Amino acid sequence: MNRFTCKEDLIEARRTFAEHLSRQKKKVLVCAETGCVAGGSLEIFDRLKALCAERGVNCSFELGHGLEGESIGLKKSGCHGFCEMGPLVRIEPAGWLFLKVKLEDCEEILETSIIGDKPVKRLLFQQDGVIYPTQEEIPFYKKQTRLVRSHCGHTDAESIEEYIANDGYKALETALFDLSPDDICREISEAGLRGRGGGGYPAGQKWEQVKRHKETIKYVICNGDEGDPGAFMDRSIMEGDPHRMLEGMIIAGIATGAQNGYIYVRAEYPLAVKRLKIAIEQAEKYGLLGHHILGTDFSFTIKINQGAGAFVCGEGSALTASIEGNRGMPRVKPPRTVEQGLFAKPTVLNNVETFANVPIIINISAAEYRKIGTANSPGTKVFSLTGNVKSTGLIEVPMGTTLREIVFEIGGGVKDDKAFKAVQIGGPSGGCLTDEYLDLPIDFDSIKKVGAIMGSGGLVVLDETTCMVEVARFFMNFTQKESCGKCVPCREGTRAMLNILERIVSGKGEPEDIDILLDLEDTISATSLCGLGKTAGSPVVSTIKYFRDEYIAHVYDKKCPAKICQALKSISIDASLCRGCGKCSQICPVGAISGEIKKAFTIDGTKCIKCEACISTCKFNAILEE
């Protein structure tokens, strides 16, 4: 098809592409996001493609090109979410989801499920003796509500034609021809959309502030930096459904009068960058990006700016400084980004998930969107569920879903049926939620009331074997390294906190250390320039609040209750169990074990480096660790 020059061209293309999509009597969706690609999913795709050719199966690989009549649609999809079970292959319309697929499974999948009409049962999800035939029946998916990620895993991640066939760019059409900029801002405000990057600021209010400025040059920036450890929510959207995000950005441009957009994405996301480039080229080809979009006077361009992986560049002013070619460091505010953002011009800055919500709101209406989630936090939230939980991956749930539902129903409970201890929410800037908050609804306001933040959506489940002091040290180590160093409180304060925590976990903590940590956090949070410093001590404060007894044990008793901190471990030999074989002394790398054959051996604690080699060597379980 040629470039769309009017509204009618887009409507006709949507009808044509939808008709082509309907001819695919079956769809084979091979997950082609980063995790599954690392597991070999592209090789699986190529193998299925080759097998189909060998068997003469009528396959279509590009919507709207080539084959006429019915065919099998073989596609590279975005992330299905059940990441630990990859590589994943979904068969539609049956809804079968095959897990941990290997190259050698391809022939059976072809014969049984693609040519035939039966699932490969051994590749289906099984739990407690129950086989779940379809993806939607699997407990991990059953309680999810997929809005933003509804296309991920269900459509071709690199096809604008398939996006258009599924009502893609319909919201853009509405925004251009049926709504005024005031109408758009009002709709986003009435929907109650709040920024999903962590702050929860009302998106409509931000857009309205930029729209009011009389400047002729304005910008729209999408923050795809996503620096929290273990978080990959935005990456999954950029890789699996990039056009939805682009459509949201263009609509923001219409609403605010901006004609230039930037996507700031970390260079560690090469596949996301690749898919975004493809999506931008496709949108430009069809006249959905660039000059005179759909024949109107409105023009909008989007450029990609790759960040170098600095966590601080997730902060608005540091991000804009980085795009400008300067060192990514925050500045004093006001003026804020909506007043003087990129190149000192009014700027809308939202994250990937926020922009991806915009087409949904325009298509279904603000009133319908408000029916999902809570009164003050409408819609859904995408979380990265990781840690000591049975089912890990990406989940999307309505705002207000409880922690218990997420961990024990969607996540399947704590791994190895150990006791639940806490959830670290909000990444390095967040805090802990203990079992007393399992029935807390997860939304912006509820989380804030208990001293935590939602952040971009990282959820790390911790079990009874986790040392909370080490958790605090881990996040403080990350934050201290990521401090840009511009302001003294953050640069020196986080280093001082890290030094104390490292001293505590090494068995050299002092009685006053706990109070000093709290005092330092109070000063750093009150005087730092940006959100990194203001929230850097949150994991420390949170763990002291709920697990002070663990700090006391480390400081006063020189013991780690979870037996995680290496320096605080104590290894000894039970003389009543030792048979005097001497194998432990032979394997000890520092000569800390001595004794006579057929007599009980002993360990010199001053020499022992606690490598635990002796424990795994002893066949009589005579070596104890405390």
Side-chain angles (χ1 to χ4, degrees), residues 273-444:
V273 172
K274 176 188 173 185
R275 296 257 168 89
L276 287 171
K277 287 180 177 177
I278 290 171
I280 290 171
E281 289 173 4
Q282 290 173 337
E284 289 173 342
K285 169 190 169 185
Y286 283 119
L288 298 167
L289 261 180
H291 298 292
H292 303 293
I293 294 174
L294 292 177
T296 67
D297 292 332
F298 176 69
S299 299
F300 193 80
T301 62
I302 294 178
K303 296 179 180 178
I304 297 172
N305 189 282
Q306 295 185 54
F311 181 65
V312 74
C313 284
E315 192 274 341
S317 60
L319 185 152
T320 55
S322 180
I323 293 177
E324 291 167 356
N326 301 314
R327 184 177 175 186
M329 301 174 79
R331 58 170 171 77
V332 177
K333 293 174 279 292
R336 301 200 171 274
T337 305
V338 293
E339 300 156 349
Q340 293 183 29
L342 186 62
F343 303 115
K345 299 297 183 182
T347 302
V348 166
L349 174 59
N350 288 121
N351 83 322
V352 173
E353 189 179 346
T354 309
F355 281 121
N357 270 282
V358 171
I360 297 169
I361 293 169
I362 300 297
N363 284 333
I364 69 173
S365 81
E368 286 299 310
Y369 186 82
R370 270 202 169 273
K371 292 179 181 179
I372 305 165
T374 64
N376 293 324
S377 298
T380 60
K381 181 71 189 81
V382 181
F383 290 101
S384 171
L385 184 61
T386 60
N388 302 118
V389 63
K390 291 179 180 178
S391 296
T392 62
L394 290 180
I395 65 170
E396 184 176 355
V397 294
M399 288 281 197
T401 301
T402 67
L403 202 57
R404 188 183 302 277
E405 289 175 295
I406 291 173
V407 175
F408 290 95
E409 295 183 31
I410 296 174
V414 181
K415 194 177 290 184
D416 299 324
D417 294 321
K418 292 180 179 177
F420 172 85
K421 192 168 191 176
V423 161
Q424 172 72 19
I425 185 169
S429 305
C432 290
L433 296 176
T434 58
D435 55 0
E436 64 181 290
Y437 297 115
L438 279 172
D439 295 310
L440 179 78
I442 305 298
D443 60 64
F444 290 108

Side-chain angles (χ1 to χ4, degrees), residues 70 84 121 139 145 152 158 181 221 268 272 314 316 330 359 370 388-389 434 550 591 617-618:
E70 290 188 342
E84 68 169 311
K121 288 187 177 180
T145 300
C152 292
E158 297 183 0
I221 297 178
E268 295 95 328
R370 270 202 169 273
N388 302 118
V389 63
T434 58
E550 293 196 24
T617 301
C618 183

Side-chain angles (χ1 to χ4, degrees), residues 217-238:
I217 298 176
K218 301 175 184 177
Y219 295 98
V220 173
I221 297 178
C222 179
N223 183 355
D225 191 56
E226 194 170 50
D228 288 3
F232 52 105
M233 297 76 64
D234 288 348
R235 190 193 78 195
S236 76
I237 296 170
M238 290 186 285

